[in-house]
Amino acid sequence: MTDPAARYAEAQSRRAHPLTAAFAAAQRFELDPFQIAGCQALEDGRSVLVAAPTGAGKTIVGEFAIHLAMLAAGEKAFYTTPMKALSNQKFRELQEVYGEDQVGLLTGDTNINGSARVVVMTTEVLRNMLYADSPALAGLRYVVMDEVHYLADRFRGGVWEEVIIHLPPQVRLVSLSATVSNAEEFGDWLDTVRGDTEVIVSEIRPVPLEQHVLVRNDLLPLFDDRAGIATAQVNQELMRIRGGSGSRYENNRQAQEFRSRGGYAAGERRPPRGGRRPVRTANVQRIERMDRPQVVQLLERANLLPAIFFIFSRAGCDGAVQQVRRSGLRLTSREERDEIRRVVDERTRTLAEDDLQVLGYWEWRENLERGIAAHHAGLLPAFKEVVEELFRRKLVKVVFATETLALGINMPARTVVLEKLEKFNGEARVAITSGEYTQLTGRAGRRGIDVEGHAVIQWTEALDPQAVAALASRRTYPLNSSFRPTYNMAVNLIDRFGREQAREILESSFAQFQADRAVVGLAREVKDAEESLAGYAKAMSCDRGDFVEYAGLRRELSDLEKLNRADRTAPARIRDRRQHEIQSLRTRLQRHPCHTCPDREAHARWGERYAKLDRRVEKIRRQIDARTGTVARVFDRVVDVLAALDYVRVEADGRTVLTPAGATMKRIYGERDLLVAEALRQGLWTSLDAPGLAALASCLVYEPRRDEAGAGEHGLPRGPFREALGATQILWSRLDDLEQDHRLPGSEPVATGLARAMHSWARGASLDRVLDEADLAAGDFVRWSKQTIDLLDQLSMVAAGPVAVTARRALDAVRRGIVVYGSQ
């Protein structure tokens, strides 16, 4: 029976928070304490940061914020996500709750019901709305920032900070984050810039995670908990296998418990008596790695499907699907296959027959009907949506995915399998981090379906159980700002607030907040060191003279003697000059009053300590100087570049104001904001037709693969395009030099790798030809096409006369076929 005092406290809480109580009662599962706390904070009028593991149900707090907005007439709520795929998914979920007329979607290339009371959008869209002072902001009461830990992303992270800083003060912010180790620090910053913010941290998974190592065809628990959960140790059997003893593991308690459970979730039917158990006892002296079809079959027998296999390459994912397909394995019933075919046909009915062939549609559908699929960025976005839907509906049982699936997509599984604990980062094979391990295994365990999730690590000869245990035990990673001022940001801030206030605003960024916190620690180090220096100075004081001066002479002499001994190949004149300096220092040292002190060597020992610590203090002071005002200094350099190019002008009274060119820059977003603005001002693109402008726009957004050789000019369109491209490349070089002169990092050269294919696509070429010219997967081509469309859309609104018209034609020419169909 519940404690009476606890029941009374709960009743009091319900009376104090009736809206939370009613919302919680309407949910299909009982809310966890951290979810209740988040909702109550919102009901009390505070902002909230919720940091909790993947799959813990953080989004329920964001949904409560939307619920509150809908209860009050005229109020709005925005739900922001880092990816269009997540925006699309959340849009559909909220439509089911509030109806199509109440929910909108804005993702740059999609505009559905943008004036609705609830609008789902990418974070960049909200940033742009804030700078444009959009009328849609009227009545905005709540903003949910899902996956807010994305502000650590070095390419796009700054956008999150811009939004947080610039949201109107009356807007309550709901920040939803993965479990990070410095949530309190991030919460303190939010409290500073947004006002009253409640920080709620939960490290409890709603569905416990069982960790296994797959050795041969046996699932061994990673931890041996005979000493108790709090002191869980690595399974000693794994350590013996690592050591090569290959002994039996009949007595392992966790293995026995897993066998006794049969590996099944509560309420699920077990196989007939005599069926194979999920964990066997076997001698594992000869450790043979199971192939994928065997692993899938083992998981099927153990009732551990559906499962996600994380493979850190697209080719590996596709190859895994083919391997399982060739084995003849089929995981679906006839009824399930019929339903899969119906869903796939319905979702792809608008695709042209020729395109289906190019996309490998028939083989893809047959794989789905077998219950297997790949999921990676190379897939057509809408194909990925189909895989996600079928997996959620338990029709597809096994998905081979890259790590991008771990980033917020709603695809929980019963089991997650990691074949390797390292990946290629573009330069070398590196071990995955504890944060990545947590994100990946966080997909295991479906709330309301599973009583536990399972993480399975496949054994390799190089596997170190202790290292795996360390990955599994460290569930958090630090959230560090990647914020830096951009040209577009600078002109928008100067226009709205003036230069001095803009500097103050930037100094309120999380980046500066973290730098200042580090400065506090460094300053404390300096203070402590200065006390020690005073003690050292006292200990080496000499009644015969200034021992600090004497110690300095000794060090100078010692350093010069060492240099002379080490550099024996120096020209004779340099060695002679050095020898003269050494003799002069020796004479000065011998004539110094402290040289005859009987305690000279004792003083000298303290002098060495003093000098060593003094050098360290000086180094720390330089670090403090470098960190103080870091963001504002970068902002000043950005403004100096803008002033040199006449985008801003300093008036006689000292005010910094925008020129007409600066006013145009306000509406140009992206990594190439300065290059685009300057090219428009110089009229470099006026002679281009629609396909040519589409091709050139692709050069400004496309990022070549690390292994992609320079495309050169082979196959590129001739005539006006070549001239415009050459002029743009020369402009980039000049701007890069200017940035380097102002101690800014500059940018990557213009990349032409997609230009030929984009030109062909805009001229109406077939998908088959374009993908061949691009040497890209369909999903990649769609992604770059959509970014090209985003830039063309900006050009159509900010460019003068003919370029704006051409940009609109180019946009329409690119937006066709699979680019339109790929809804993400």
Side-chain angles (χ1 to χ4, degrees):
M1 177 177 279
T2 308
D3 178 57
R7 286 205 309 274
Y8 177 75
E10 189 177 326
Q12 287 287 86
S13 177
R14 284 198 300 269
R15 280 195 290 272
H17 299 94
L19 298 179
T20 298
F23 180 77
Q27 303 307 305
R28 63 183 186 277
F29 55 83
E30 185 177 350
L31 296 191
D32 291 332
F34 85 89
Q35 295 169 320
I36 294 288
C39 294
Q40 288 178 347
L42 287 171
E43 189 172 352
D44 290 339
R46 298 199 293 274
S47 292
V48 63
L49 164 65
V50 180
T54 301
K58 298 182 289 290
T59 55
I60 200 74
V61 181
E63 289 164 10
F64 180 67
I66 294 170
H67 174 73
L68 291 178
M70 297 300 283
L71 290 177
E75 290 193 352
K76 290 181 179 179
F78 288 171
Y79 195 108
T80 73
T81 76
M83 294 184 293
K84 293 177 182 179
L86 290 178
S87 294
N88 292 333
Q89 184 174 295
K90 203 68 196 175
F91 171 62
R92 290 190 292 269
E93 290 175 6
L94 292 172
Q95 275 188 323
E96 292 176 5
V97 177
Y98 297 107
E100 293 185 5
D101 60 327
Q102 295 291 338
V103 183
L105 176 67
L106 298 173
T107 60
D109 60 330
T110 303
N111 185 337
I112 302 173
N113 200 15
S115 59
R117 292 184 62 192
V118 179
V119 185
V120 183
M121 61 186 69
T122 52
T123 317
E124 281 85 353
V125 169
L126 178 54
R127 185 272 311 272
N128 298 352
M129 291 171 67
L130 288 167
Y131 280 150
D133 199 19
S134 169
L137 297 170
L140 181 61
R141 177 61 174 164
Y142 297 96
V143 167
V144 182
M145 301 195 79
D146 203 354
E147 309 283 340
V148 75
H149 49 275
Y150 251 81
L151 66 75
D153 183 88
R154 67 190 184 98
F155 296 111
R156 300 171 55 210
V159 175
W160 274 256
E161 292 189 47
E162 289 181 79
V163 168
I164 291 168
I165 292 169
H166 294 304
L167 276 173
Q170 71 273 15
V171 175
R172 298 292 87 189
L173 188 64
V174 183
S175 303
L176 307 177
S177 172
T179 309
V180 293
S181 53
N182 59 336
E184 287 77 11
E185 178 188 44
F186 183 50
D188 287 347
W189 174 68
L190 288 173
D191 195 71
T192 300
V193 296
R194 299 298 316 160
D196 194 3
T197 299
E198 182 92 2
V199 179
I200 297 166
V201 178
S202 173
E203 296 186 11
I204 301 171
R205 282 178 51 101
V207 181
L209 183 65
E210 295 287 327
Q211 316 247 11
H212 312 280
V213 178
L214 178 58
V215 184
R216 202 176 179 184
N217 58 347
D218 297 279
L219 286 169
L220 294 181
L222 174 61
F223 293 105
D224 183 349
D225 67 350
R226 280 175 289 188
I229 293 295
T231 56
Q233 298 177 344
V234 177
N235 186 348
Q236 290 306 299
E237 184 59 37
L238 291 172
M239 298 305 296
R240 283 192 288 273
I241 295 168
R242 167 81 170 165
S245 67
S247 59
R248 299 171 71 84
Y249 41 90
E250 185 70 48
N251 295 323
N252 185 280
R253 178 183 159 194
Q254 280 190 288
Q256 289 176 334
E257 289 178 356
F258 189 71
R259 286 197 291 272
S260 69
R261 289 196 304 266
Y264 306 106
E268 292 190 330
R269 187 168 59 84
R270 297 167 183 261
R273 186 179 299 274
R276 186 169 177 176
R277 293 194 180 280
V279 180
R280 297 191 308 107
T281 301
N283 189 299
V284 290
Q285 276 181 307
R286 291 185 60 210
I287 301 174
E288 298 174 2
R289 188 179 175 88
M290 298 178 74
D291 62 24
R292 290 181 181 119
Q294 290 175 315
V295 177
V296 172
Q297 286 177 303
L298 182 147
L299 296 178
E300 183 184 27
R301 287 192 298 269
N303 206 12
L304 294 181
L305 298 182
I308 298 171
F309 286 65
F310 281 109
I311 300 173
F312 300 114
S313 81
R314 299 179 188 181
C317 292
D318 293 335
V321 171
Q322 293 305 317
Q323 189 180 5
V324 176
R325 173 195 175 99
R326 286 194 302 269
S327 74
L329 190 61
R330 192 182 294 277
L331 304 171
T332 53
S333 66
R334 176 172 294 180
E335 292 75 17
E336 288 173 328
R337 290 194 290 276
D338 290 341
E339 179 63 11
I340 289 169
R341 193 178 302 113
R342 187 195 65 77
V343 171
V344 173
D345 289 347
E346 170 62 26
R347 297 290 293 273
T348 59
R349 58 187 169 80
T350 58
L351 274 176
E353 190 77 19
D354 290 346
D355 289 352
L356 291 177
Q357 195 67 38
V358 173
L359 295 168
Y361 169 82
W362 306 107
E363 183 178 315
W364 172 71
R365 191 182 77 170
E366 184 182 336
N367 291 333
L368 291 175
E369 290 176 18
R370 288 178 176 272
I372 55 175
H375 189 289
H376 55 69
L379 279 178
L380 188 67
F383 278 22
K384 285 195 294 184
E385 286 184 3
V386 171
V387 171
E388 291 160 15
E389 178 184 344
L390 294 177
F391 192 82
R392 285 194 297 269
R393 293 175 58 178
K394 308 179 198 175
L395 295 170
V396 164
K397 320 291 185 180
V398 173
V399 168
F400 297 97
T402 55
E403 68 267 36
T404 54
L405 187 147
L407 300 174
I409 302 293
N410 181 23
M411 276 183 67
R414 175 164 296 170
T415 304
V416 162
V417 179
L418 299 181
E419 296 187 348
K420 294 180 180 177
L421 295 176
E422 62 177 19
K423 64 178 183 177
F424 186 69
N425 67 358
E427 296 177 352
R429 298 207 70 82
V430 296
I432 65 173
T433 66
S434 58
E436 289 168 332
Y437 183 91
T438 302
Q439 281 283 92
L440 296 169
T441 58
R443 292 281 136 212
R446 299 163 299 175
R447 185 167 186 159
I449 301 174
D450 300 321
V451 294
E452 60 194 13
H454 297 271
V456 176
I457 314 301
Q458 281 201 268
W459 181 272
T460 65
E461 293 304 319
L463 189 79
D464 179 359
Q466 294 280 16
V468 180
L471 278 178
S473 301
R474 288 195 301 269
R475 301 209 176 270
T476 59
Y477 51 95
L479 179 61
N480 294 314
S481 172
S482 61
F483 182 82
R484 62 178 179 82
T486 66
Y487 298 105
N488 170 271
M489 185 193 305
V491 293
N492 274 289
L493 289 176
I494 290 170
D495 188 52
R496 291 185 67 189
F497 305 107
R499 182 169 181 172
E500 286 309 308
Q501 192 178 347
R503 290 181 97 258
E504 292 173 9
I505 289 170
L506 291 174
E507 289 189 323
S508 69
S509 66
F510 187 46
Q512 191 59 55
F513 185 83
Q514 287 191 304
D516 290 343
R517 284 213 161 183
V519 164
V520 170
L522 292 171
R524 190 178 297 115
E525 276 192 65
V526 169
K527 185 174 182 297
D528 293 343
E530 285 175 340
E531 292 177 4
S532 297
L533 285 171
Y536 294 166
K538 185 176 180 181
M540 70 176 179
S541 62
C542 179
D543 57 4
R544 302 198 178 192
D546 184 353
F547 203 89
V548 173
E549 181 183 67
Y550 179 74
L553 288 172
R554 279 176 63 131
R555 275 195 311 279
E556 191 176 351
L557 175 60
S558 175
D559 292 344
L560 199 56
E561 286 176 335
K562 285 178 185 176
L563 177 63
N564 203 38
R565 286 194 298 271
D567 190 14
R568 298 184 182 278
T569 59
R573 69 178 187 283
I574 293 178
R575 290 181 62 79
D576 288 345
R577 187 175 71 242
R578 235 183 247 153
Q579 197 60 46
H580 178 74
E581 290 174 7
I582 288 172
Q583 192 56 49
S584 174
L585 282 169
R586 284 174 179 164
T587 302
R588 289 173 61 194
L589 200 66
Q590 290 167 356
R591 291 175 178 175
H592 197 282
C594 293
H595 189 66
T596 58
C597 176
D599 297 323
R600 182 186 68 195
E601 292 310 309
H603 294 329
R605 284 193 293 273
W606 286 108
E608 286 303 312
R609 294 177 189 174
Y610 182 95
K612 185 176 180 180
L613 185 58
D614 190 52
R615 287 194 296 270
R616 173 164 169 71
V617 168
E618 187 56 36
K619 182 179 179 181
I620 294 173
R621 286 197 176 109
R622 288 196 299 270
Q623 287 181 305
I624 290 173
D625 290 341
R627 290 173 184 262
T628 304
T630 311
V631 178
R633 278 203 301 275
V634 174
F635 172 73
D636 287 339
R637 294 169 193 164
V638 166
V639 175
D640 288 344
V641 169
L642 290 170
L645 294 170
D646 197 35
Y647 285 89
V648 299
R649 184 176 61 247
V650 179
E651 301 282 48
D653 60 3
R655 288 184 307 113
T656 302
V657 298
L658 303 191
T659 65
T664 299
M665 169 79 78
K666 283 174 58 181
R667 294 182 291 161
I668 300 173
Y669 302 95
E671 291 291 313
R672 303 283 193 183
D673 48 6
L674 183 61
L675 179 60
V676 171
E678 194 66 3
L680 289 177
R681 185 165 67 163
Q682 294 185 22
L684 302 187
W685 305 335
T686 54
S687 63
L688 292 171
D689 60 7
L693 186 57
L696 201 139
S698 76
C699 295
L700 302 182
V701 300
Y702 180 62
E703 296 170 13
R705 301 183 299 269
R706 290 178 186 268
D707 60 346
E708 188 175 322
E713 295 191 355
H714 175 69
L716 294 180
R718 297 190 178 278
F721 174 82
R722 290 284 183 98
E723 294 171 11
L725 175 64
T728 304
Q729 289 171 323
I730 291 170
L731 173 60
W732 168 81
S733 180
R734 289 173 179 165
L735 294 178
D736 192 62
D737 288 344
L738 182 63
E739 289 177 312
Q740 301 284 351
D741 290 344
H742 286 83
R743 291 181 294 159
L744 289 170
S747 59
E748 293 297 318
V750 173
T752 60
L754 188 60
R756 177 186 175 195
M758 189 60 66
H759 189 268
S760 296
W761 181 252
R763 292 178 63 197
S766 69
L767 177 63
D768 192 15
R769 172 184 166 184
V770 168
L771 293 183
D772 182 60
E773 289 179 347
D775 190 25
L776 289 175
D780 293 320
F781 179 71
V782 168
R783 184 171 73 258
W784 293 122
S785 294
K786 286 183 175 292
Q787 292 195 31
T788 300
I789 287 171
D790 286 345
L791 177 53
L792 290 170
D793 191 40
Q794 291 182 47
L795 295 179
S796 73
M797 292 184 285
V798 302
V803 175
V805 174
T806 305
R808 179 55 56 184
R809 289 175 182 157
L811 190 155
D812 291 338
V814 175
R815 190 184 277 156
R816 67 179 181 87
I818 64 166
V819 175
V820 176
Y821 178 72
S823 61
Q824 292 181 6

